Amino acid sequence: MSKTTKFKHTNIAEFAKTAKYRKALANRHKKESVFQFIGFFAILLSICFLASLIVNISFKASGAFSATYVKMPIYLDKEIIKEDNPAYLENFAYRQLLIHNIDLYFSESNESRRAKLKILHFFSKDSYNDLKKYVINNPDKIGKNINIWLKTSSKIDQFYKKNTENILPLYKKILDNYFLNNNAIKKVISFSIFTNGDSTEAELAGIATSLTGSILTMIIFLLSSFPLGVLLALYLEEFAVKNKFADFIEININNLAAIPSIIFGLLGLSVFINLLHVPRSSALIGGLTLSLMVLPTIVIATRNSIKAIPSTIKHAALGLGASPMQVALHHTLPLALPGILTGTILAVSRALGETAPLIMIGMIAFIIDKPESFSDPTTVLPVQIYLWSNNPEIGFVEKTSATILLLLLFLVAFNSIAIWLRNKFSRKW
């Protein structure tokens, strides 16, 4: 050890024993502790907010998977149901049968026509189908008294679930006198939210249309964006001449990824609808518009994956006589595939949750029937959430929460798949 080094070490050792050094060291440790505490507190706060959001949504969404039924005595009057053949029973107006029995069972209905209509709205329109199924399956019961469970309207359903205290005095009186005191009311598990389309009646509303529309839109989106994005990235990275024009294209692709999504909605409106006359509000226009929006993300992810491949692999293949096209298709793309798939799945997650560009191309329409082709009018899950969240009826709150929960599950699933693919196929060079 030289004299200079020994002198410095001696000075440092002596300095470490001074009060000034100990104070500076204590301040440094204190700042580090404060920084770690702030970071830990920020993470803890984020987890609490996220957990609170998920618990709150899950609690509200639980009501969407149950429905309230009341046990109603029904007289299948032969004066009203005049025939028992299947064709007649299939087309019979069961609303008329229910009104007739409301007159027979509820004394309040005789007070006024308005009271009778209000009592009719005590029941869901789905109760007509309950009556229809029973009569068609039991034609021998025509002319007899029966007891049947009928679905209630959303107002009664929400009151029975204790989600609201705001209910008409007439409904409260009917519930107490005819059903609650006779144990003639129950809550039944129901998954009609997955089988019904949109409706103005909260108890009948479902996501069958928007869920089908989301699936069809994602199919169009993947078919149009994945091949185009991958081939574009491969050309720019492996074959394009490096000049100012290539730099201009690269800069603009990066800038496109930062443009607000609603701008792509305007672009889809002007190009696909006004210029190419693609059917409005369809899964076809929705998928193409989302492709415009997410294409830069796929291109950037693919280019980064290709850049991560060691150049020695490409040079070795070229040295063995492979053409540039063979190197790209047989070596570059297969090795970059994990990164490409991860980027694409994350792009799908973003597209699945987008609302603004789809509103601009008319996918905010009220549509009841499920789409049967890519050109049929439809909507998607995020737009359905937006529509229901603007509805003041409390019955739509649980439907909105259930749809949000389903959308979150889809997004978590897609992100989990992306992480699994990355871990399974990633290689260390």
Side-chain angles (χ1 to χ4, degrees), residues 160-396:
Y160 187 64
K161 292 175 181 173
K162 303 186 185 306
N163 291 333
T164 181
E165 296 291 332
N166 187 15
I167 190 173
L168 289 176
L170 177 61
Y171 291 161
K172 183 73 169 55
K173 182 180 178 182
I174 289 175
L175 276 173
D176 290 338
N177 294 343
Y178 294 94
F179 300 112
L180 287 172
N181 293 336
N182 298 325
N183 292 324
I185 186 169
K186 65 179 180 181
K187 195 162 62 174
V188 177
I189 295 175
S190 172
F191 295 102
S192 60
I193 188 174
F194 296 112
T195 56
N196 292 350
D198 200 4
S199 172
T200 55
E201 310 290 337
E203 76 276 6
L204 301 179
I207 59 171
T209 303
S210 54
L211 183 60
T212 308
S214 289
I215 293 172
L216 295 178
T217 302
M218 287 300 108
I219 291 173
I220 295 293
F221 160 73
L222 279 174
L223 291 177
S224 56
S225 63
F226 181 72
L228 185 61
V230 172
L231 292 177
L232 180 58
L234 186 65
Y235 173 78
L236 289 174
E237 198 61 35
E238 297 292 318
F239 299 101
V241 179
K242 305 298 179 186
N243 52 25
K244 290 184 178 179
F245 180 72
D247 295 338
F248 175 78
I249 296 293
E250 183 175 352
I251 291 171
N252 280 280
I253 288 174
N254 294 333
N255 289 335
L256 281 173
I259 289 180
S261 58
I262 197 167
I263 303 298
F264 290 99
L266 292 170
L267 183 62
L269 176 67
S270 61
V271 175
F272 296 127
I273 294 180
N274 295 338
L275 186 63
L276 302 178
H277 303 291
V278 177
R280 190 183 181 90
S281 305
S282 63
L284 182 60
I285 178 83
L288 292 174
T289 304
L290 291 176
S291 296
L292 289 177
M293 183 189 72
V294 183
L295 190 62
T297 304
I298 297 177
V299 172
I300 293 170
T302 304
R303 293 189 69 182
N304 290 335
S305 299
I306 292 174
K307 286 178 182 176
I309 299 172
S311 59
T312 53
I313 295 177
K314 303 174 189 177
H315 294 159
L318 290 171
L320 291 173
S323 67
M325 181 65 76
Q326 289 174 323
V327 173
L329 297 180
H330 297 169
H331 299 278
T332 305
L333 273 184
L335 292 174
L337 193 60
I340 296 173
L341 290 177
T342 302
T344 303
I345 291 172
L346 294 178
V348 171
S349 300
R350 183 189 171 191
L352 188 63
E354 275 295 339
T355 305
L358 301 179
I359 290 176
M360 297 304 299
I361 56 175
M363 296 189 76
I364 196 172
F366 177 80
I367 300 167
I368 299 175
D369 299 324
K370 288 192 292 186
E372 296 180 352
S373 70
F374 292 108
S375 59
D376 288 344
T378 186
T379 185
V380 292
L381 288 173
V383 177
Q384 189 68 74
I385 292 169
Y386 173 75
L387 285 171
W388 283 348
S389 64
N390 287 328
N391 199 311
E393 189 172 339
I394 192 170
F396 282 102

Side-chain angles (χ1 to χ4, degrees), residues 72-75 80 94-123 127-128 131 150 170 174 178-179:
M72 175 78 181
I74 297 287
Y75 175 52
I80 297 177
Y94 290 89
R95 181 176 183 270
Q96 180 185 353
L97 177 64
L98 183 58
I99 292 175
H100 176 66
N101 280 275
I102 285 174
D103 288 338
L104 294 177
Y105 191 58
F106 300 104
S107 59
E108 292 83 357
S109 71
N110 299 318
E111 296 175 359
S112 65
R113 176 178 171 79
R114 188 176 180 182
K116 181 187 298 186
L117 288 176
K118 284 183 178 177
I119 296 176
L120 180 63
H121 292 154
F122 180 93
F123 299 93
S127 60
Y128 310 153
L131 281 171
L150 298 179
L170 177 61
I174 289 175
Y178 294 94
F179 300 112

Side-chain angles (χ1 to χ4, degrees), residues 21-32:
Y21 172 79
R22 288 197 294 271
K23 184 178 180 181
L25 189 62
N27 286 335
R28 191 176 71 179
H29 289 165
K30 184 179 179 181
K31 289 178 181 177
E32 288 178 356

